[in-house]
Coordinates of all heavy atoms in Angstrom, one line a residue:
M13 N 0.9 -1.2 0.0 CA 0.0 0.0 0.0 C 0.9 1.2 0.0 O 2.0 1.2 0.5 CB -0.9 0.0 1.2 CG -1.8 1.1 1.3 SD -2.8 0.9 2.8 CE -3.7 2.4 2.7
S14 N 0.4 2.3 -0.6 CA 1.2 3.5 -0.6 C 0.2 4.7 -0.1 O -1.0 4.6 -0.3 CB 1.8 3.8 -1.9 OG 0.7 3.9 -2.9
V15 N 0.9 5.7 0.4 CA 0.1 6.9 0.8 C 0.8 8.2 0.2 O 2.0 8.1 -0.1 CB 0.1 7.0 2.4 CG1 -0.7 5.9 3.0 CG2 1.4 7.1 3.0
A16 N 0.0 9.2 0.1 CA 0.5 10.5 -0.4 C 1.6 11.0 0.5 O 1.5 10.9 1.7 CB -0.6 11.5 -0.6
N17 N 2.7 11.6 -0.1 CA 3.8 12.0 0.6 C 4.4 13.2 -0.1 O 5.3 13.0 -0.9 CB 4.9 10.9 0.8 CG 6.1 11.3 1.6 OD1 6.0 12.2 2.4 ND2 7.2 10.7 1.4
N18 N 4.0 14.4 0.2 CA 4.5 15.6 -0.5 C 4.5 15.5 -2.0 O 5.6 15.8 -2.6 CB 5.9 16.0 0.1 CG 5.9 16.3 1.6 OD1 4.9 16.9 2.0 ND2 6.9 16.0 2.3
G19 N 3.5 15.1 -2.6 CA 3.4 15.0 -4.0 C 3.8 13.7 -4.6 O 3.7 13.4 -5.7
G20 N 4.4 12.8 -3.8 CA 4.9 11.5 -4.2 C 4.1 10.5 -3.4 O 3.1 10.8 -2.8
Y21 N 4.6 9.3 -3.4 CA 4.0 8.2 -2.7 C 5.0 7.5 -1.8 O 6.2 7.3 -2.2 CB 3.3 7.2 -3.6 CG 2.0 7.8 -4.2 CD1 2.1 8.4 -5.4 CD2 0.8 7.7 -3.5 CE1 0.9 9.0 -5.9 CE2 -0.3 8.2 -4.0 CZ -0.3 8.9 -5.2 OH -1.4 9.5 -5.7
R22 N 4.6 7.1 -0.6 CA 5.4 6.4 0.3 C 4.8 5.0 0.4 O 3.6 4.8 0.7 CB 5.4 7.1 1.6 CG 6.4 6.4 2.6 CD 6.4 7.2 3.9 NE 5.0 7.2 4.5 CZ 4.7 7.9 5.5 NH1 5.6 8.7 6.1 NH2 3.5 7.9 6.0
C23 N 5.6 3.9 0.2 CA 5.2 2.6 0.3 C 5.2 2.2 1.8 O 6.1 2.5 2.5 CB 6.1 1.6 -0.4 SG 5.9 1.9 -2.2
I24 N 4.1 1.5 2.2 CA 3.9 1.1 3.6 C 3.9 -0.4 3.7 O 3.3 -1.1 2.9 CB 2.6 1.7 4.2 CG1 2.5 3.2 4.1 CG2 2.4 1.2 5.6 CD1 3.6 3.9 4.9
C25 N 4.7 -1.0 4.6 CA 4.7 -2.4 4.8 C 3.4 -3.0 5.2 O 2.8 -2.5 6.2 CB 5.8 -2.8 5.8 SG 5.9 -4.5 6.2
P26 N 2.9 -4.0 4.5 CA 1.6 -4.5 4.9 C 1.7 -5.3 6.2 O 0.7 -5.4 6.9 CB 1.2 -5.5 3.8 CG 2.2 -5.3 2.7 CD 3.3 -4.5 3.3
A27 N 2.9 -5.7 6.6 CA 3.0 -6.5 7.9 C 3.0 -5.7 9.1 O 2.4 -6.0 10.1 CB 4.3 -7.4 7.8
C28 N 3.8 -4.6 9.0 CA 4.0 -3.8 10.3 C 3.6 -2.3 10.1 O 3.6 -1.6 11.1 CB 5.5 -3.9 10.7 SG 6.6 -3.0 9.7
G29 N 3.3 -1.8 8.9 CA 2.9 -0.4 8.8 C 4.0 0.6 8.7 O 3.8 1.8 8.6
E30 N 5.3 0.1 8.7 CA 6.4 1.0 8.6 C 6.8 1.3 7.1 O 6.2 0.6 6.2 CB 7.7 0.4 9.3 CG 7.5 0.3 10.8 CD 7.5 1.6 11.5 OE1 8.2 2.6 11.0 OE2 6.7 1.7 12.4
R31 N 7.6 2.2 6.9 CA 8.1 2.6 5.6 C 8.8 1.5 4.8 O 9.5 0.7 5.5 CB 8.9 3.9 5.7 CG 9.3 4.5 4.4 CD 10.1 5.8 4.6 NE 11.3 5.6 5.3 CZ 12.5 5.4 4.7 NH1 12.5 5.4 3.4 NH2 13.6 5.3 5.4
M32 N 8.6 1.4 3.5 CA 9.3 0.4 2.7 C 10.2 1.2 1.7 O 9.9 2.3 1.3 CB 8.4 -0.5 2.0 CG 7.6 -1.4 2.9 SD 6.6 -2.5 2.1 CE 7.8 -3.6 1.4
R33 N 11.2 0.5 1.3 CA 12.1 1.1 0.2 C 12.0 0.2 -1.0 O 12.2 -1.0 -0.9 CB 13.6 1.1 0.8 CG 14.6 1.6 -0.3 CD 15.9 1.7 0.2 NE 16.4 0.5 0.8 CZ 17.4 0.4 1.7 NH1 18.0 1.5 2.1 NH2 17.7 -0.8 2.2
I34 N 11.8 0.8 -2.1 CA 11.8 0.1 -3.4 C 13.3 -0.2 -3.8 O 14.1 0.7 -4.0 CB 11.1 0.8 -4.5 CG1 9.6 1.0 -4.1 CG2 11.2 0.1 -5.8 CD1 8.8 1.8 -5.1
R35 N 13.7 -1.4 -3.8 CA 15.1 -1.8 -4.0 C 15.4 -1.9 -5.5 O 16.5 -1.7 -5.9 CB 15.4 -3.2 -3.4 CG 15.1 -3.2 -1.9 CD 16.1 -2.5 -1.1 NE 17.5 -3.0 -1.5 CZ 18.5 -3.0 -0.7 NH1 18.4 -2.6 0.5 NH2 19.7 -3.5 -1.1
N36 N 14.4 -2.3 -6.3 CA 14.7 -2.5 -7.7 C 13.3 -2.5 -8.4 O 12.3 -2.7 -7.8 CB 15.4 -3.9 -7.9 CG 15.9 -4.0 -9.3 OD1 16.0 -3.1 -10.1 ND2 16.3 -5.2 -9.7
S37 N 13.4 -2.2 -9.7 CA 12.2 -2.3 -10.5 C 12.6 -2.7 -11.9 O 13.7 -2.4 -12.4 CB 11.4 -1.0 -10.5 OG 12.2 0.1 -11.1
E38 N 11.6 -3.3 -12.6 CA 11.9 -3.7 -14.0 C 10.7 -3.4 -14.8 O 9.6 -3.8 -14.5 CB 12.0 -5.3 -14.0 CG 13.2 -5.8 -13.2 CD 13.2 -7.3 -13.1 OE1 12.2 -8.0 -13.6 OE2 14.2 -7.9 -12.6
A39 N 10.9 -2.6 -15.9 CA 9.9 -2.2 -16.8 C 9.5 -3.4 -17.7 O 10.4 -3.9 -18.4 CB 10.3 -1.0 -17.6
Q40 N 8.3 -3.9 -17.6 CA 7.9 -5.0 -18.4 C 7.3 -4.5 -19.8 O 7.6 -5.1 -20.8 CB 6.8 -5.8 -17.7 CG 7.2 -6.2 -16.3 CD 8.4 -7.2 -16.3 OE1 8.5 -8.0 -17.2 NE2 9.2 -7.1 -15.3
T41 N 6.5 -3.4 -19.7 CA 6.0 -2.7 -20.9 C 6.0 -1.2 -20.5 O 6.3 -0.8 -19.4 CB 4.5 -3.2 -21.2 OG1 3.7 -2.6 -20.2 CG2 4.4 -4.7 -21.2
P42 N 5.7 -0.3 -21.5 CA 5.6 1.1 -21.1 C 4.5 1.4 -20.1 O 4.6 2.5 -19.5 CB 5.2 1.7 -22.5 CG 5.7 0.8 -23.5 CD 5.6 -0.6 -22.9
T43 N 3.6 0.5 -19.8 CA 2.5 0.8 -18.8 C 2.5 -0.2 -17.6 O 1.6 -0.1 -16.8 CB 1.1 0.7 -19.5 OG1 1.0 -0.6 -20.0 CG2 1.0 1.7 -20.6
Y44 N 3.5 -1.1 -17.5 CA 3.6 -2.0 -16.4 C 5.0 -2.2 -15.9 O 5.9 -2.4 -16.7 CB 3.0 -3.4 -16.9 CG 3.0 -4.5 -15.9 CD1 2.0 -4.5 -15.0 CD2 4.1 -5.4 -15.8 CE1 2.0 -5.5 -14.0 CE2 4.1 -6.4 -14.9 CZ 3.0 -6.4 -13.9 OH 3.0 -7.4 -13.0
K45 N 5.2 -2.1 -14.6 CA 6.5 -2.2 -14.0 C 6.4 -3.1 -12.8 O 5.5 -3.0 -12.0 CB 7.0 -0.8 -13.6 CG 8.4 -0.8 -13.0 CD 8.8 0.6 -12.5 CE 9.4 1.3 -13.7 NZ 10.1 2.5 -13.3
T46 N 7.4 -4.1 -12.7 CA 7.5 -4.9 -11.5 C 8.4 -4.3 -10.5 O 9.5 -3.8 -11.0 CB 8.0 -6.3 -11.9 OG1 7.1 -6.9 -12.8 CG2 8.1 -7.2 -10.7
M47 N 8.0 -4.2 -9.3 CA 8.9 -3.6 -8.3 C 9.2 -4.5 -7.1 O 8.4 -5.4 -6.8 CB 8.2 -2.3 -7.7 CG 7.8 -1.3 -8.7 SD 7.1 0.2 -8.0 CE 5.6 -0.5 -7.3
Y48 N 10.3 -4.4 -6.5 CA 10.8 -5.2 -5.4 C 11.1 -4.2 -4.2 O 11.8 -3.3 -4.4 CB 12.0 -6.0 -5.8 CG 11.8 -6.9 -7.0 CD1 12.0 -6.4 -8.2 CD2 11.2 -8.1 -6.8 CE1 11.8 -7.2 -9.3 CE2 11.0 -8.9 -7.9 CZ 11.3 -8.5 -9.2 OH 11.1 -9.2 -10.3
A49 N 10.4 -4.5 -3.1 CA 10.6 -3.6 -1.9 C 10.9 -4.3 -0.7 O 10.6 -5.5 -0.5 CB 9.3 -2.8 -1.7
Q50 N 11.5 -3.6 0.3 CA 12.0 -4.2 1.5 C 11.5 -3.2 2.6 O 11.7 -2.0 2.6 CB 13.5 -4.3 1.6 CG 14.0 -4.8 2.9 CD 15.5 -4.9 2.9 OE1 16.2 -4.2 2.1 NE2 16.1 -5.7 3.8
C51 N 11.0 -3.8 3.7 CA 10.6 -3.0 4.9 C 11.8 -2.5 5.6 O 12.8 -3.2 5.8 CB 9.8 -3.9 5.9 SG 9.2 -3.1 7.3
M52 N 11.7 -1.2 6.0 CA 12.8 -0.5 6.6 C 12.9 -0.8 8.1 O 13.8 -0.5 8.8 CB 12.8 1.0 6.4 CG 12.9 1.3 4.9 SD 14.4 0.7 4.1 CE 15.6 1.7 5.0
N53 N 11.8 -1.4 8.7 CA 11.8 -1.8 10.1 C 12.7 -3.0 10.3 O 12.4 -4.1 9.8 CB 10.4 -2.1 10.5 CG 10.2 -2.6 12.0 OD1 11.2 -2.8 12.6 ND2 9.0 -2.7 12.4
I54 N 13.8 -2.9 11.0 CA 14.8 -4.0 11.1 C 14.2 -5.2 11.7 O 14.5 -6.3 11.3 CB 16.0 -3.5 11.9 CG1 16.7 -2.4 11.1 CG2 16.9 -4.7 12.2 CD1 17.9 -1.8 11.9
A55 N 13.3 -5.0 12.7 CA 12.6 -6.2 13.3 C 11.7 -6.9 12.4 O 11.5 -8.1 12.5 CB 11.8 -5.7 14.6
C56 N 11.1 -6.2 11.4 CA 10.2 -6.9 10.4 C 11.0 -7.4 9.2 O 11.1 -8.6 9.0 CB 9.2 -5.9 10.0 SG 8.0 -6.5 8.7
G57 N 11.6 -6.5 8.5 CA 12.5 -6.9 7.3 C 11.8 -7.6 6.2 O 12.4 -8.3 5.4
A58 N 10.5 -7.6 6.1 CA 9.7 -8.3 5.1 C 10.1 -7.7 3.7 O 10.5 -6.6 3.5 CB 8.2 -8.1 5.3
T59 N 10.1 -8.6 2.7 CA 10.4 -8.2 1.3 C 9.2 -8.6 0.5 O 8.5 -9.6 0.7 CB 11.6 -8.8 0.7 OG1 11.6 -10.2 0.8 CG2 12.9 -8.3 1.5
Y60 N 8.8 -7.8 -0.5 CA 7.7 -8.0 -1.3 C 8.0 -7.7 -2.8 O 8.9 -6.9 -3.1 CB 6.5 -7.1 -0.9 CG 6.0 -7.3 0.5 CD1 6.5 -6.5 1.5 CD2 5.1 -8.3 0.8 CE1 6.0 -6.8 2.8 CE2 4.7 -8.6 2.1 CZ 5.2 -7.8 3.1 OH 4.7 -8.0 4.4
T61 N 7.2 -8.2 -3.7 CA 7.2 -7.8 -5.0 C 5.8 -7.3 -5.4 O 4.8 -7.8 -4.8 CB 7.6 -8.9 -6.0 OG1 7.6 -8.4 -7.3 CG2 6.6 -10.1 -6.0
G62 N 5.7 -6.3 -6.2 CA 4.4 -5.7 -6.6 C 4.5 -5.1 -8.0 O 5.5 -5.3 -8.7
S63 N 3.5 -4.4 -8.4 CA 3.5 -3.8 -9.7 C 2.9 -2.4 -9.7 O 2.1 -2.1 -8.8 CB 2.7 -4.7 -10.7 OG 1.4 -4.9 -10.3
L64 N 3.3 -1.7 -10.7 CA 2.8 -0.4 -11.0 C 2.2 -0.4 -12.4 O 2.9 -0.8 -13.3 CB 3.9 0.7 -10.9 CG 3.5 2.1 -11.3 CD1 2.5 2.7 -10.4 CD2 4.7 3.0 -11.4
T65 N 1.0 -0.1 -12.5 CA 0.4 0.0 -13.9 C -0.3 1.3 -14.1 O -0.8 2.0 -13.2 CB -0.7 -1.1 -14.1 OG1 -1.8 -0.9 -13.1 CG2 -0.1 -2.5 -13.8
W66 N -0.3 1.7 -15.4 CA -1.1 2.8 -15.9 C -2.2 2.2 -16.7 O -2.0 1.6 -17.7 CB -0.2 3.8 -16.7 CG 0.9 4.3 -16.0 CD1 2.2 4.1 -16.2 CD2 0.9 5.2 -14.8 NE1 3.0 4.8 -15.3 CE2 2.2 5.4 -14.5 CE3 -0.1 5.7 -14.1 CZ2 2.5 6.2 -13.4 CZ3 0.2 6.5 -13.0 CH2 1.5 6.8 -12.7
D67 N -3.5 2.4 -16.2 CA -4.6 1.8 -16.8 C -5.4 2.6 -17.7 O -5.9 2.2 -18.7 CB -5.6 1.3 -15.7 CG -4.8 0.3 -14.7 OD1 -4.1 -0.6 -15.3 OD2 -5.0 0.4 -13.5
Y68 N -5.6 3.9 -17.4 CA -6.5 4.8 -18.1 C -5.8 6.2 -18.3 O -5.0 6.6 -17.5 CB -7.8 5.0 -17.4 CG -8.7 3.8 -17.3 CD1 -8.8 3.1 -16.1 CD2 -9.3 3.2 -18.4 CE1 -9.5 2.0 -15.9 CE2 -10.1 2.1 -18.2 CZ -10.2 1.5 -17.0 OH -11.0 0.4 -16.9
A69 N -6.3 6.9 -19.3 CA -5.9 8.3 -19.5 C -6.9 9.2 -18.9 O -8.1 9.0 -19.2 CB -5.7 8.6 -21.0
L70 N -6.5 10.2 -18.2 CA -7.4 11.2 -17.7 C -7.4 12.4 -18.7 O -8.4 13.1 -18.8 CB -7.0 11.7 -16.3 CG -7.0 10.6 -15.2 CD1 -6.5 11.2 -13.9 CD2 -8.4 10.0 -15.1
S71 N -6.3 12.6 -19.3 CA -6.2 13.6 -20.4 C -5.2 13.0 -21.4 O -4.2 12.4 -21.0 CB -5.9 15.0 -19.9 OG -4.6 14.9 -19.4
P72 N -5.4 13.3 -22.7 CA -4.5 12.7 -23.7 C -3.1 13.4 -23.7 O -2.9 14.5 -23.2 CB -5.2 13.0 -25.0 CG -6.0 14.2 -24.7 CD -6.4 14.1 -23.3
S73 N -2.1 12.7 -24.2 CA -0.8 13.3 -24.4 C -0.8 14.4 -25.4 O -1.6 14.4 -26.3 CB 0.2 12.2 -24.8 OG 1.4 12.7 -25.2
G74 N 0.1 15.4 -25.2 CA 0.2 16.4 -26.2 C 1.1 16.1 -27.4 O 1.3 16.9 -28.3
L75 N 1.7 14.9 -27.3 CA 2.7 14.5 -28.4 C 1.9 14.1 -29.6 O 0.8 13.5 -29.6 CB 3.5 13.3 -27.9 CG 4.4 13.6 -26.7 CD1 5.1 12.3 -26.3 CD2 5.4 14.7 -27.0
D76 N 2.5 14.3 -30.8 CA 1.9 13.9 -32.1 C 1.8 12.3 -32.1 O 0.8 11.8 -32.6 CB 2.7 14.4 -33.3 CG 2.6 15.9 -33.4 OD1 1.6 16.4 -33.0 OD2 3.6 16.4 -34.0
K77 N 2.9 11.6 -31.7 CA 2.9 10.2 -31.7 C 3.4 9.6 -30.4 O 4.5 9.3 -30.2 CB 3.8 9.7 -32.8 CG 3.3 10.1 -34.2 CD 4.2 9.6 -35.3 CE 3.7 10.0 -36.7 NZ 4.6 9.5 -37.7
P78 N 2.5 9.6 -29.4 CA 2.9 9.0 -28.1 C 3.2 7.5 -28.2 O 2.7 6.8 -29.1 CB 1.7 9.2 -27.2 CG 0.5 9.4 -28.1 CD 1.1 9.9 -29.4
R79 N 4.1 7.0 -27.3 CA 4.4 5.6 -27.4 C 3.2 4.7 -27.2 O 3.1 3.6 -27.7 CB 5.5 5.2 -26.3 CG 6.8 5.8 -26.6 CD 7.9 5.4 -25.6 NE 7.5 4.7 -24.4 CZ 8.3 4.2 -23.6 NH1 9.6 4.3 -23.8 NH2 7.8 3.5 -22.5
V80 N 2.3 5.1 -26.3 CA 1.1 4.3 -26.0 C -0.1 5.3 -25.9 O 0.1 6.4 -25.6 CB 1.2 3.5 -24.7 CG1 2.2 2.4 -24.8 CG2 1.4 4.4 -23.5
V81 N -1.3 4.7 -26.2 CA -2.5 5.5 -26.1 C -3.4 4.6 -25.2 O -3.8 3.6 -25.7 CB -3.2 5.8 -27.4 CG1 -4.5 6.5 -27.2 CG2 -2.2 6.7 -28.3
L82 N -3.7 5.1 -24.0 CA -4.5 4.3 -23.1 C -6.0 4.7 -23.3 O -6.3 5.8 -23.7 CB -4.1 4.5 -21.7 CG -2.7 4.0 -21.3 CD1 -2.4 4.5 -19.9 CD2 -2.7 2.5 -21.4
P83 N -6.9 3.8 -23.0 CA -8.3 4.2 -23.0 C -8.6 5.3 -22.0 O -8.0 5.4 -21.0 CB -9.1 2.9 -22.7 CG -8.1 2.0 -22.0 CD -6.7 2.4 -22.5
V84 N -9.6 6.1 -22.4 CA -10.1 7.1 -21.5 C -10.8 6.5 -20.3 O -11.5 5.6 -20.4 CB -11.0 8.1 -22.2 CG1 -11.6 9.2 -21.3 CG2 -10.3 8.8 -23.4
A85 N -10.5 7.1 -19.1 CA -11.1 6.6 -17.9 C -12.6 6.7 -17.9 O -13.1 7.6 -18.4 CB -10.5 7.3 -16.7
P86 N -13.3 5.6 -17.4 CA -14.8 5.7 -17.4 C -15.3 6.9 -16.7 O -16.3 7.5 -17.2 CB -15.1 4.4 -16.6 CG -14.0 3.5 -16.8 CD -12.8 4.4 -16.9
S87 N -14.7 7.4 -15.7 CA -15.1 8.6 -15.0 C -15.1 9.8 -15.9 O -16.0 10.7 -15.9 CB -14.3 8.9 -13.7 OG -13.0 9.1 -14.0
V88 N -14.1 9.9 -16.7 CA -13.9 11.0 -17.7 C -15.0 10.9 -18.7 O -15.6 11.9 -19.1 CB -12.5 11.1 -18.3 CG1 -12.4 12.1 -19.4 CG2 -11.5 11.3 -17.2
Q89 N -15.3 9.7 -19.2 CA -16.3 9.5 -20.2 C -17.7 9.9 -19.6 O -18.5 10.5 -20.3 CB -16.4 8.0 -20.6 CG -15.2 7.6 -21.4 CD -15.2 6.1 -21.7 OE1 -15.9 5.3 -21.1 NE2 -14.4 5.7 -22.7
R90 N -18.0 9.5 -18.4 CA -19.3 9.8 -17.7 C -19.4 11.4 -17.6 O -20.5 11.9 -17.9 CB -19.4 9.2 -16.4 CG -19.8 7.8 -16.4 CD -20.2 7.3 -15.0 NE -19.1 7.4 -14.0 CZ -18.2 6.5 -13.8 NH1 -18.1 5.4 -14.6 NH2 -17.3 6.7 -12.9
M91 N -18.3 12.0 -17.2 CA -18.4 13.5 -17.1 C -18.7 14.2 -18.4 O -19.5 15.1 -18.5 CB -17.1 14.1 -16.5 CG -17.0 13.8 -15.0 SD -15.6 14.5 -14.1 CE -14.4 14.9 -15.3
Q92 N -18.0 13.6 -19.5 CA -18.2 14.2 -20.8 C -19.7 13.9 -21.3 O -20.3 14.8 -21.9 CB -17.2 13.6 -21.8 CG -17.3 14.2 -23.2 CD -17.0 15.7 -23.2 OE1 -16.1 16.2 -22.6 NE2 -17.9 16.5 -23.8
A93 N -20.2 12.7 -21.0 CA -21.5 12.4 -21.4 C -22.5 13.3 -20.7 O -23.5 13.8 -21.3 CB -21.8 10.9 -21.1
L94 N -22.3 13.6 -19.4 CA -23.2 14.5 -18.7 C -23.2 15.9 -19.3 O -24.2 16.5 -19.5 CB -22.8 14.5 -17.2 CG -23.2 13.3 -16.4 CD1 -22.6 13.4 -15.0 CD2 -24.7 13.2 -16.3
R95 N -22.0 16.4 -19.6 CA -21.9 17.7 -20.2 C -22.5 17.7 -21.6 O -23.2 18.7 -21.9 CB -20.4 18.1 -20.4 CG -19.8 18.6 -19.1 CD -18.4 19.2 -19.3 NE -17.4 18.3 -19.7 CZ -16.6 17.6 -18.9 NH1 -16.8 17.7 -17.6 NH2 -15.7 16.8 -19.3
D96 N -22.4 16.7 -22.4 CA -23.0 16.6 -23.7 C -24.5 16.5 -23.7 O -25.1 17.0 -24.6 CB -22.4 15.5 -24.5 CG -20.9 15.7 -24.9 OD1 -20.4 16.8 -24.7 OD2 -20.3 14.7 -25.2
S97 N -25.0 16.0 -22.6 CA -26.5 15.7 -22.5 C -27.2 16.9 -22.0 O -28.5 17.0 -22.0 CB -26.8 14.5 -21.7 OG -26.5 14.7 -20.3
R98 N -26.5 17.9 -21.5 CA -27.2 19.1 -20.9 C -27.8 19.9 -22.0 O -27.3 20.0 -23.2 CB -26.2 20.0 -20.2 CG -25.8 19.6 -18.9 CD -25.0 20.6 -18.1 NE -23.8 20.0 -17.7 CZ -22.6 20.5 -17.6 NH1 -22.4 21.8 -18.0 NH2 -21.6 19.9 -17.2
P99 N -29.0 20.6 -21.7 CA -29.6 21.4 -22.8 C -28.6 22.6 -23.1 O -27.9 23.1 -22.3 CB -30.8 22.0 -22.1 CG -31.1 21.1 -20.8 CD -29.7 20.5 -20.5
K100 N -28.6 22.9 -24.4 CA -27.8 24.0 -24.8 C -28.3 25.3 -24.4 O -29.5 25.6 -24.6 CB -27.6 24.0 -26.4 CG -27.1 22.7 -26.9 CD -25.7 22.4 -26.4 CE -25.2 21.1 -26.9 NZ -24.1 20.5 -26.1
T101 N -27.5 26.2 -23.8 CA -27.8 27.5 -23.4 C -26.7 28.5 -23.8 O -25.7 28.1 -24.2 CB -28.1 27.6 -21.8 OG1 -26.8 27.4 -21.2 CG2 -29.1 26.6 -21.4
D102 N -27.0 29.8 -23.6 CA -26.0 30.8 -23.9 C -25.1 31.0 -22.6 O -24.1 31.8 -22.7 CB -26.6 32.1 -24.3 CG -27.2 32.0 -25.7 OD1 -26.8 31.1 -26.5 OD2 -28.2 32.8 -26.0
Q103 N -25.5 30.4 -21.5 CA -24.7 30.6 -20.3 C -23.4 29.9 -20.3 O -23.3 28.7 -20.7 CB -25.5 30.1 -19.1 CG -24.8 30.4 -17.8 CD -25.7 30.0 -16.6 OE1 -26.9 29.8 -16.8 NE2 -25.2 30.0 -15.4
L104 N -22.3 30.5 -19.9 CA -21.0 29.9 -19.9 C -20.9 28.9 -18.8 O -21.4 29.1 -17.7 CB -19.9 31.0 -19.8 CG -19.7 31.9 -20.9 CD1 -18.7 33.0 -20.6 CD2 -19.4 31.2 -22.2
D105 N -20.2 27.8 -19.0 CA -20.0 26.8 -18.0 C -18.7 27.2 -17.3 O -17.7 27.5 -17.9 CB -19.9 25.4 -18.7 CG -19.8 24.3 -17.7 OD1 -19.2 24.5 -16.5 OD2 -20.2 23.2 -18.0
L106 N -18.7 27.0 -16.0 CA -17.5 27.4 -15.2 C -16.3 26.5 -15.6 O -15.1 27.0 -15.6 CB -17.8 27.1 -13.7 CG -16.6 27.3 -12.8 CD1 -16.2 28.8 -12.7 CD2 -17.0 26.9 -11.4
L107 N -16.5 25.3 -16.1 CA -15.4 24.4 -16.5 C -14.9 24.6 -17.9 O -13.9 24.0 -18.3 CB -15.7 23.0 -16.2 CG -16.1 22.6 -14.7 CD1 -16.5 21.2 -14.6 CD2 -14.9 23.0 -13.8
D108 N -15.6 25.3 -18.7 CA -15.3 25.5 -20.2 C -13.8 25.9 -20.3 O -13.1 25.3 -21.2 CB -16.2 26.5 -20.9 CG -17.5 25.9 -21.2 OD1 -17.7 24.6 -21.1 OD2 -18.5 26.6 -21.5
P109 N -13.3 26.9 -19.6 CA -11.9 27.3 -19.8 C -10.9 26.1 -19.5 O -9.9 26.0 -20.2 CB -11.7 28.5 -18.9 CG -13.0 29.0 -18.6 CD -14.0 27.8 -18.7
L110 N -11.2 25.3 -18.5 CA -10.4 24.2 -18.2 C -10.4 23.1 -19.2 O -9.3 22.5 -19.6 CB -10.8 23.6 -16.8 CG -10.6 24.5 -15.6 CD1 -11.2 23.8 -14.4 CD2 -9.2 24.9 -15.4
E111 N -11.5 22.9 -19.8 CA -11.6 21.9 -20.9 C -10.9 22.3 -22.1 O -10.2 21.5 -22.7 CB -13.1 21.6 -21.2 CG -13.9 20.9 -20.1 CD -15.4 20.9 -20.4 OE1 -15.8 21.2 -21.5 OE2 -16.1 20.4 -19.5
K112 N -10.9 23.6 -22.4 CA -10.2 24.1 -23.6 C -8.7 24.0 -23.4 O -8.0 23.7 -24.3 CB -10.6 25.5 -23.9 CG -12.1 25.6 -24.5 CD -12.5 27.0 -24.6 CE -14.0 26.9 -25.1 NZ -14.6 28.3 -25.0
E113 N -8.2 24.2 -22.2 CA -6.8 24.1 -21.9 C -6.3 22.7 -22.0 O -5.2 22.4 -22.5 CB -6.5 24.6 -20.5 CG -6.6 26.1 -20.3 CD -6.4 26.6 -18.9 OE1 -5.9 25.8 -18.1 OE2 -6.7 27.8 -18.6
A114 N -7.1 21.7 -21.6 CA -6.8 20.3 -21.6 C -6.8 19.8 -23.0 O -6.1 18.8 -23.3 CB -7.7 19.5 -20.8
S115 N -7.5 20.4 -23.9 CA -7.6 19.9 -25.3 C -6.4 20.2 -26.1 O -5.6 21.0 -25.9 CB -8.8 20.5 -26.0 OG -10.0 20.1 -25.4

């Protein structure tokens, strides 16, 4: 398990709840990485293997030819469907400027 830590993530040992250190990692694909971690609690010392995956895109890459194109997250699709199904009015939407920046 990991928790937010000043903009990054800190891995927590499932056995004792102390901090873990990622000792090594191996990229299997551009969206999947195998990681090996060790608990920093000397009394515990557990070691684990786990994975990091990128499953969905929240916003597309700005590159002309990105290495991978992930499917759009279902939550993003739902929000877009809700916006598209609203009756058309002349009133500006508060999120319109943010959507144009992301495009």
